[in-house]
Amino acid sequence: MERELVDRLRALHDAVDPVPQPVVAAAHAAFEWRNVDAELAALTSDTLPAQAGMRSTGQARLLVFAGPRGGAEVEVVPIGRRHRLVGQLLPIRASEVVVELFDDRRAASTDAVGCFRFEDLPPGPLRLRWTTADGPVVTGWVSI
C-alpha cells in the first residue's frame, strides 16, 4: 500500500513538474566522471570576470586549461546567439578534440600546430576532451 502511494505521488509529480532535460543531461554527464583514467585539465584563467557588470561587449572570452598531461588555450567568440570556439592544445600535438555539450558531442582534428575549431555552438555548459601519449584529458565544465 505504501509503495503504491509513493509510485502514484511520483507519477503525479512527474506529470505536473517534470525534471528539465538539461538537468537530466547534466546528471548523465556527471555520471561519466566514473572514467577515472581521464586527467583533469582545470580552468586556470578566464576573462569573463573582467567583463562582469559590463553590457554585452561582443568581445571574445579567453579560457586557459592546464593539467599534468597538458592543457589548452581557448577563445570563445560570440556570433549572434551562438559561439565559435577556437583553441590550441599545449604542448602542441596532433589529436582529435571533442567538445561535449549537454545533448551533443562534436569532434575536430587539430592542425599541424595543435589548433582546433568548432562553429555554431549554443550557449550553455561544455567541456573538451582529447588524448595525449600519456592518456586522455578532459576539462571541467564551463558555461559559454
Side-chain angles (χ1 to χ4, degrees):
M1 177 75 171
E2 187 175 312
R3 177 72 178 170
E4 181 181 323
L5 177 61
V6 170
D7 288 343
R8 290 179 62 195
L9 286 172
R10 181 178 292 123
L12 177 64
H13 184 272
D14 288 346
V16 173
D17 188 20
V19 177
Q21 186 56 37
V23 173
V24 173
H28 286 280
F31 193 70
E32 287 182 17
W33 273 103
R34 296 177 307 138
N35 185 5
V36 296
D37 65 335
E39 189 72 46
L40 178 65
L43 181 65
T44 59
S45 178
D46 184 353
T47 59
L48 183 63
Q51 298 172 3
M54 298 174 66
R55 293 183 184 230
S56 178
T57 63
Q59 295 178 349
R61 178 177 172 191
L62 301 175
L63 306 170
V64 179
F65 298 94
R69 293 184 184 161
E73 292 183 351
V74 179
E75 180 180 54
V76 180
V77 181
I79 300 174
R81 299 183 66 98
R82 309 293 277 189
H83 297 86
R84 173 186 301 138
L85 191 142
V86 179
Q88 182 178 30
L89 298 182
L90 299 172
I92 294 170
R93 69 187 58 185
S95 183
E96 180 179 75
V97 178
V98 176
V99 63
E100 298 178 347
L101 308 160
F102 273 148
D103 58 354
D104 194 12
R105 179 178 270 201
R106 303 179 195 179
S109 295
T110 59
D111 63 14
V113 292
C115 292
F116 56 92
R117 178 184 193 120
F118 295 97
E119 297 285 347
D120 198 35
L121 296 175
L126 63 79
R127 69 178 175 182
L128 299 172
R129 182 180 295 269
W130 66 93
T131 301
T132 70
D134 296 327
V137 177
V138 64
T139 68
W141 288 94
V142 63
S143 187
I144 62 168

